[in-house]
Amino acid sequence: MRVKIAFLFFCLVAAAHAQSSIHTQAGTRIWNIHAGKMSYVIGVDEENVLQSLYWGPTIEDSYQWPTPHSQPERASFDLPINTTPLEYAGWGAGLFTEPALKVTSASGDRSMVLHFESADIEDKRLHIVLRDVHSIRVHLYYEPYPEGILGRSSRIENSGATPVQVEQASSATWSLPSGRKYEVSWLTGQWGAEWQLHREAMQPGVRVLESRRGSTSHQANPWFAIGQIDETTEHSGPVWFGELAWSGSWRMTIEETSLHLLRVTGGYNPFDFTYTLLPGKTLETPVFYGGYTADGQGEASRILHRFQLGKILPHHPSPAPRPIVYNSWEATEFGVNEKGQTALADKAAKLGVERFVVDDGWFGERNSDKAGLGDWTVNPKKFPHGLKPLIDHVHSLGMSFGLWVEPEMVNPDSNLYRQHPEWVMQFPGRQGTLARNQLVLNLARDDVKEFTFRWLDKLLRENDIAFLKWDYNRNWSEPGWEDEATESGLEHDGQKAIYVRYVQNLYEILARLKANHPELEIESCSGGGGRTDLGILRYTDEVWPSDNTDALDRLRIQEGFTHAYAPQTMAAWVTDVPNFLDRRSIPLQFRFFSAMQGALGIGGDLNRWSDEDLDSAKQLIAFYKTIRPIVANGNLYRLESPSDDDTKPVEYVTSGQTEAVVFAYLHAQHYGMTYGNVRLYGLSPTAMYRIEQFGTGMNRTAASVPGQILMTQGLPISLRGEFDSTAFRIVRVP
């Protein structure tokens, strides 16, 4: 019978069409949630327990789902609670797989079994309430989006009369179809080498992806994608994928049980975590977004990109393409002053730059990274008349003005620390750990939160600043309060709530700044890609993927980044050579074409650029402006390299298939072999396309070519030598 039902599921897959809806099956407690071309189905079984029933291609509402049943006990070692695909499992009653929730009551009871209590649909969101026999209610939320994404989160409520300790709180558990051979993809890295893509076959056991660092981290990112072995590729096959919208410590557990059930559970990291939940209070978890596609890893990325542009970024659903930025850090480092910045602004404007950004060193006694952090007043020696004369000059050149800040940090050698040493994260009686000569301000404290908001708001009110590069240059080491009961109003056993309160207060500051300054744009930077997630992207317009700006390394970094995040959010700079990290020298055109894959910026010392380089840069920037909307809003295709080279070409195509741009790169030629043809994707096979090749000093137009030819025979590309590169603009012929 089960085989027949499984067969019916695939027979009833609907035709693909964008939608989002929630259907309650008549006379049952079963819900079919539609998001784009995906369905997600849950139902309540005869034991009054909520089960996951289906996650995959769209299933029509006309199909009548049978009432779910709990699975039988396999042995005394595997009770039904372990063999049944529970939608949200509390720890207890013999559960040995990963729980979504673990709570200790005032009586010492650490067990929990959640049963269905109620359900309703409000504002296109399904709200289900589960309840334990004691005092805990769990509110589950499901919000589908037509882009093909389902947002899931939970709210833990203490409805009893005594406090409870929440020791593990997940947003959701995703259950995949059983009986298949899966491979999982994830992203890891380190400073200067973020966004490294990994893929391996799943076996019985647990893979844990996490950050314990207080922030999203360079070391792992809260994204996963799961395909089927020998079936899923970049361009075809099923993919189940998800992202957690949280900027603090997080964990995802990808678990294949001994019975070959595959589950992904994600939310707050339970390491060093306890949240005291007083009577009547609640704890909300971050949203865990998930999706499904039958069209490969590339389409999974494109679904996420469209969702981020349409629903996540501050100016959704139509965020404008990012302006071209010049940042003065490499030219001056801490030696900023009004005269030097004015001269750099003049040079940047002549290239066609649209935003001028002053980096670190403009405030306090900030002449190195050893002092001044926390004293956010303009240095009068460097800017005798404040920032206004420089800002006015930048505006007169037709550019907007941006500024670097690091609001969450403090140097011990600063007036702020001398006045408020209790404001840093610290444990009583223990010396704080320095990193980059700085300590972390305890933003979980309301007084620190208000101080941070006030000085930022004042800075923005007094100066016409369009953009903040918001940096965050170290991880946590002593996550606590020196005198918690006095300073924060918490009991000592509530210190571990810092992991939640800190990030919530950070989000509040960003939201209030955006409300007071609606046109303000912010970049999330954390020594590179250390704080990149869908939580921070609700308040920031772009992220800094890596401090490594070597153009060759960046191709691999940017490839990994785009599996999870939209190219429009990816700040990418052209910097000087030899690069500070790899000591590698790469031609200017290659550096520009590498950076054009995202939001183009320039970070080199323009005072050292030759006239030839300045002229080439001006041409390249003018070209980027013609293709920027395609990169920002188009569909990204990661293409196969026809050579043995490890630099992959990329293609961006408008949603209407009217325009495309292709970038191709060659690290090194071998044996005199030519680069060859690159197969394109996403074009109209019946349309004709005019191909324009661009490079400095040349602009070639080829005869029109049918889209079918470009997507089968491919686009011929000629690259030779070392670090050669080219770009093509492809325009549909009317």
Side-chain angles (χ1 to χ4, degrees):
M1 182 62 181
R2 285 176 183 158
V3 174
K4 292 180 180 178
I5 291 173
F7 177 75
L8 281 174
F9 288 171
F10 291 95
C11 290
L12 287 160
V13 171
H17 57 287
Q19 60 171 328
S20 64
S21 63
I22 302 167
H23 172 73
T24 305
Q25 185 169 299
T28 70
R29 295 180 295 178
I30 295 174
W31 298 269
N32 187 356
I33 306 170
H34 301 289
K37 301 176 184 179
M38 174 185 78
S39 281
Y40 187 84
V41 184
I42 54 177
V44 180
D45 65 23
E46 77 282 2
E47 301 292 335
N48 210 33
V49 172
L50 186 65
Q51 288 191 29
S52 172
L53 303 182
Y54 177 86
W55 182 21
T58 300
I59 297 294
E60 291 285 14
D61 292 333
S62 59
Y63 176 65
Q64 293 297 301
W65 291 82
T67 301
H69 299 283
S70 62
Q71 298 299 306
E73 172 184 312
R74 175 166 171 79
S76 60
F77 302 98
D78 284 306
L79 301 176
I81 196 169
N82 294 291
T83 60
T84 301
L86 301 181
E87 180 71 356
Y88 194 91
W91 182 79
L95 180 73
F96 297 108
T97 56
E98 182 72 8
L101 182 64
K102 187 175 185 298
V103 175
T104 297
S105 70
S107 68
D109 180 6
R110 305 196 308 279
S111 183
M112 174 175 296
V113 179
L114 296 168
H115 290 94
F116 176 82
E117 182 176 277
S118 65
D120 63 83
I121 300 173
E122 297 178 356
D123 298 325
K124 299 181 181 180
R125 184 172 73 160
L126 175 62
H127 173 205
I128 289 180
V129 181
L130 308 180
R131 184 171 184 172
D132 184 52
V133 294
H134 293 311
S135 59
I136 295 296
R137 280 191 175 91
V138 178
H139 302 257
L140 301 180
Y141 298 98
Y142 302 79
E143 186 168 4
Y145 298 90
E147 290 84 357
I149 294 292
L150 175 62
R152 295 178 56 192
S153 62
S154 64
R155 179 166 58 91
I156 318 304
E157 175 191 357
N158 180 4
S159 58
T162 57
V164 298
Q165 302 291 324
V166 179
E167 298 168 354
Q168 184 169 341
S170 297
S171 303
T173 294
W174 301 89
S175 296
L176 278 72
S178 62
R180 306 190 190 186
K181 294 182 178 180
Y182 290 109
E183 59 182 8
V184 60
S185 301
W186 71 100
L187 294 163
T188 68
Q190 57 180 303
W191 177 85
E194 301 90 332
W195 310 104
Q196 304 302 304
L197 181 67
H198 304 272
R199 187 168 293 146
E200 72 175 15
M202 281 298 299
Q203 301 289 342
V206 176
R207 170 163 291 284
V208 174
L209 310 177
E210 67 173 351
S211 169
R212 301 180 177 186
R213 297 167 178 263
S215 59
T216 323
S217 88
H218 302 73
Q219 285 65 38
N221 193 264
W223 167 89
F224 75 89
I226 297 174
Q228 287 187 215
I229 295 174
D230 298 329
E231 185 172 346
T232 301
T233 69
E234 175 69 19
H235 302 292
S236 65
V239 183
W240 295 260
F241 56 94
E243 281 188 293
L244 185 67
W246 184 243
S247 308
S249 294
W250 59 273
R251 187 173 79 173
M252 287 184 188
T253 301
I254 305 172
E255 178 179 24
E256 182 173 332
T257 72
S258 59
L259 302 177
H260 303 291
L261 303 175
L262 188 61
R263 300 166 177 168
V264 183
T265 301
Y268 295 129
N269 195 318
F271 177 79
D272 194 42
F273 176 85
T274 303
Y275 195 95
T276 302
L277 205 55
L278 299 175
K281 298 298 183 180
T282 63
L283 170 63
E284 295 187 12
T285 65
V287 181
F288 197 172
Y289 295 100
Y292 168 84
T293 179
D295 298 320
Q297 299 281 356
E299 182 61 16
S301 300
R302 291 186 287 275
I303 289 171
L304 285 170
H305 299 169
R306 291 190 289 266
F307 173 67
Q308 291 160 18
L309 296 177
K311 295 296 188 297
I312 295 292
L313 292 177
H315 297 286
H316 70 268
S318 301
R322 308 298 303 142
I324 299 169
V325 166
Y326 177 76
N327 183 289
S328 65
W329 171 252
E330 284 197 5
T332 61
E333 295 192 354
F334 294 103
V336 297
N337 57 58
E338 183 178 325
K339 181 179 179 181
Q341 297 296 296
T342 299
L344 285 167
D346 289 339
K347 291 181 170 65
K350 291 177 181 178
L351 299 181
V353 167
E354 298 159 328
R355 174 169 290 162
F356 184 84
V357 179
V358 176
D359 211 280
D360 199 354
W362 59 270
F363 55 92
E365 295 299 321
R366 188 68 166 171
N367 299 307
S368 71
D369 64 9
K370 297 180 180 179
L373 199 59
D375 299 337
W376 298 103
T377 55
V378 178
N379 184 304
K381 295 179 182 178
K382 299 178 180 181
F383 298 93
H385 308 289
L387 294 173
K388 190 175 187 303
L390 174 61
I391 294 173
D392 288 345
H393 183 72
V394 167
H395 288 165
S396 73
L397 297 170
M399 299 184 293
S400 61
F401 182 81
L403 198 64
W404 179 95
V405 293
E406 192 171 7
E408 300 159 76
M409 304 291 168
V410 64
N411 288 127
D413 185 4
S414 67
N415 292 331
L416 179 64
Y417 182 78
R418 285 185 281 269
Q419 294 168 7
H420 292 288
E422 75 281 4
W423 279 10
V424 301
M425 285 188 187
Q426 55 193 296
F427 291 144
R430 184 172 292 276
Q431 181 69 37
T433 302
L434 283 176
R436 198 176 178 261
N437 303 301
Q438 62 194 55
L439 298 166
V440 184
L441 288 171
N442 188 352
L443 214 63
R445 295 172 54 122
D446 288 338
D447 49 3
V448 177
K449 175 189 70 176
E450 288 304 316
F451 165 80
T452 304
F453 168 75
R454 285 196 303 270
W455 77 256
L456 283 163
D457 187 59
K458 181 174 185 290
L459 177 71
L460 294 169
R461 281 189 285 105
E462 294 178 352
N463 299 278
D464 191 353
I465 297 171
F467 172 81
L468 292 177
K469 183 178 177 67
W470 186 302
D471 217 337
Y472 177 91
N473 275 311
R474 62 158 293 178
N475 297 133
W476 297 7
S477 52
E478 288 80 29
W481 285 262
E482 181 181 39
D483 186 356
E484 193 175 22
T486 301
E487 302 295 342
S488 71
L490 293 179
E491 299 298 329
H492 282 282
D493 63 0
Q495 274 210 20
K496 296 176 183 178
I498 192 173
Y499 291 101
V500 175
R501 288 182 49 160
Y502 183 102
V503 180
Q504 289 175 338
N505 282 354
L506 170 64
Y507 290 165
E508 181 185 327
I509 292 169
L510 292 168
R512 290 165 66 186
L513 288 175
K514 288 279 192 173
N516 285 3
H517 310 277
E519 301 305 314
L520 174 68
E521 296 177 343
I522 301 175
E523 175 184 285
S524 174
C525 175
S526 178
R531 190 156 65 190
T532 303
D533 56 82
L534 295 189
I536 204 71
L537 279 172
R538 284 199 175 277
Y539 307 98
T540 60
D541 303 84
E542 65 183 31
V543 297
W544 181 236
S546 179
D547 282 348
N548 184 352
T549 56
D550 175 83
L552 184 62
D553 283 353
R554 266 299 184 118
L555 292 179
R556 179 66 61 83
I557 288 169
Q558 292 169 182
E559 178 187 348
F561 180 94
T562 60
H563 274 271
Y565 300 100
Q568 172 156 328
T569 68
M570 182 175 66
W573 291 0
V574 176
T575 56
D576 290 336
V577 293
N579 178 265
F580 79 97
L581 194 60
D582 290 333
R583 308 308 301 166
R584 180 162 42 218
S585 292
I586 295 177
L588 186 68
Q589 177 173 292
F590 192 109
R591 283 179 273 155
F592 262 95
F593 283 157
S594 175
M596 286 184 194
Q597 289 190 16
L600 177 65
I602 299 173
D605 183 358
L606 297 181
N607 294 319
R608 294 167 45 203
W609 287 26
S610 67
D611 289 342
E612 181 182 359
D613 283 346
L614 291 170
D615 183 62
S616 295
K618 187 174 182 179
Q619 293 181 50
L620 288 159
I621 288 172
F623 169 70
Y624 176 72
K625 289 178 179 178
T626 68
I627 55 95
R628 175 170 47 184
I630 311 173
V631 173
N633 299 309
N635 292 313
L636 169 65
Y637 294 87
R638 294 179 288 267
L639 308 177
E640 293 87 5
S641 174
S643 73
D644 293 333
D645 193 68
D646 61 357
T647 55
K648 294 183 179 180
V650 294
E651 176 192 18
Y652 304 80
V653 184
T654 59
S655 58
Q657 302 176 313
T658 56
E659 292 185 89
V661 60
V662 175
F663 296 106
Y665 314 86
L666 180 67
H667 180 189
Q669 188 178 19
H670 298 284
Y671 313 115
M673 298 297 292
T674 58
Y675 191 80
N677 287 16
V678 173
R679 180 184 174 189
L680 304 188
Y681 290 83
L683 303 175
S684 169
T686 59
M688 298 292 291
Y689 289 91
R690 186 179 70 253
I691 302 171
E692 301 170 349
Q693 185 178 7
F694 184 86
T696 53
M698 54 87 73
N699 194 337
R700 301 173 185 166
T701 302
S704 297
V705 179
Q708 187 72 272
I709 294 292
L710 294 172
M711 294 192 293
T712 53
Q713 182 174 321
L715 174 69
I717 296 178
S718 177
L719 296 175
R720 293 184 177 277
E722 293 185 331
F723 297 115
D724 198 4
S725 60
T726 191
F728 297 87
R729 185 179 180 189
I730 301 171
V731 181
R732 186 168 179 166
V733 178

